[in-house]
Amino acid sequence: VEDDDVIRKQYSYIFRSFFSQVIEASSALEGLEHFHKTPIQCIISDIVMSDMNGIEFIKEIRKFDKKIPVIIFSSHPTQNYLLESIKLNLTSFLIKPVSYQDIKTVLEECASKMLHEQLLQITLSDGVKYCPVSKILTSLNSEHRLTKKESLLLELLARNRAKLVTKESIEESVYFDQEMSDSALKNLVLKLRKKFSTNMIINVPGHGFLLE
């Protein structure tokens, strides 16, 4: 979350060497919108922004998630900001300009914290969780290790929760533009559904699928 377009693009480029997906937000309000719509596992934010400062932004995040790792990049390390940030359980507070080595070090600390606190998982419903790192789906106290295509499909549906995911998107993201037959897709969805305790994958005939 960074309102300076040039700086945001520069850091996003670096972050993409560490994360499989990087979502950019040019304002705190846009950041909150992404947070509520997309499974987010780590937040990196500036402090001084036009619509809402970074401290206020993180306070809003903490109303919904007390543990998600948050890293602040700031050119304004004033005492007030530092004191407020202590209350928000930040992973780190870095002063700009931030070097590549600083980023690497703080993200390694962040990953260790996430593993230790078992934060590297997506809650799909009560009792149903999925870990993108281990590719394990936990449902009603039973564990299922997903195949590569199953995990790619579930992660695609989770990123677009409650939204229609078209067959074309599945072909591109799961089959990597290889030809995908209707029977192959139907079989893949059927196998994945069997590993859930409830039917969360909804078929929209002729269009695609969505995750409830």
Side-chain angles (χ1 to χ4, degrees):
V1 184
E2 166 65 66
D3 60 358
D4 185 305
D5 292 343
V6 174
I7 293 176
R8 188 178 68 255
K9 294 295 182 185
Q10 288 174 341
Y11 281 131
S12 293
Y13 178 79
I14 296 173
F15 296 148
R16 285 187 173 89
S17 64
F18 295 95
F19 295 99
S20 61
Q21 183 185 22
V22 176
I23 298 173
E24 298 180 27
S26 60
S27 70
L29 291 177
E30 185 183 351
L32 285 173
E33 185 178 348
H34 284 301
F35 174 77
H36 289 299
K37 289 184 176 180
T38 310
I40 302 292
Q41 295 175 320
C42 178
I43 295 173
I44 304 168
S45 177
D46 189 15
I47 279 193
V48 179
M49 294 180 283
S50 57
D51 58 348
M52 178 190 298
N53 70 46
I55 298 299
E56 294 169 334
F57 167 61
I58 300 307
K59 285 181 179 178
E60 288 298 313
I61 295 293
R62 288 295 183 229
K63 291 178 182 179
F64 300 93
D65 193 321
K66 303 296 184 185
K67 291 186 176 182
I68 186 170
V70 177
I71 301 167
I72 290 289
F73 285 8
S74 176
S75 302
H76 305 274
T78 65
Q79 187 174 5
N80 286 341
Y81 286 143
L82 290 171
L83 290 174
E84 285 293 317
S85 68
I86 291 172
K87 305 172 186 176
L88 297 174
N89 188 28
L90 298 185
T91 300
S92 189
F93 192 117
L94 299 180
I95 309 304
K96 296 177 184 176
V98 183
S99 70
Y100 179 87
Q101 186 56 49
D102 287 337
I103 291 173
K104 184 174 185 293
T105 299
V106 76
L107 291 182
E108 286 173 348
E109 293 172 357
C110 180
S112 295
K113 177 181 179 180
M114 294 167 79
L115 287 169
H116 178 70
E117 298 186 6
Q118 297 184 321
L119 298 178
L120 289 174
Q121 61 184 10
I122 300 170
T123 300
L124 300 172
S125 70
D126 291 340
V128 182
K129 297 181 180 181
Y130 171 68
C131 177
V133 177
S134 65
K135 309 301 182 187
I136 290 177
L137 177 72
T138 304
S139 178
L140 293 181
N141 298 319
S142 62
E143 291 188 349
H144 307 275
R145 186 176 297 277
L146 303 189
T147 66
K148 182 177 181 179
K149 281 188 170 59
E150 287 172 348
S151 62
L152 287 171
L153 176 59
L154 181 56
E155 289 166 23
L156 176 63
L157 292 170
R159 285 198 301 271
N160 297 276
R161 190 72 179 260
K163 296 179 182 177
L164 176 68
V165 176
T166 65
K167 291 182 178 180
E168 290 76 16
S169 295
I170 295 173
E171 189 170 45
E172 178 182 351
S173 300
V174 178
Y175 288 82
F176 300 102
D177 288 327
Q178 296 177 357
E179 187 174 353
M180 177 189 74
S181 66
D182 287 342
S183 60
L185 177 57
K186 183 179 180 180
N187 188 48
L188 176 62
V189 172
L190 181 62
K191 287 181 178 179
L192 187 54
R193 278 175 171 163
K194 287 181 178 179
K195 296 177 180 179
F196 284 90
S197 57
T198 181
N199 183 19
M200 298 174 61
I201 302 176
I202 306 302
N203 181 22
V204 182
H207 297 283
F209 298 85
L210 61 84
L211 186 69
E212 279 195 324

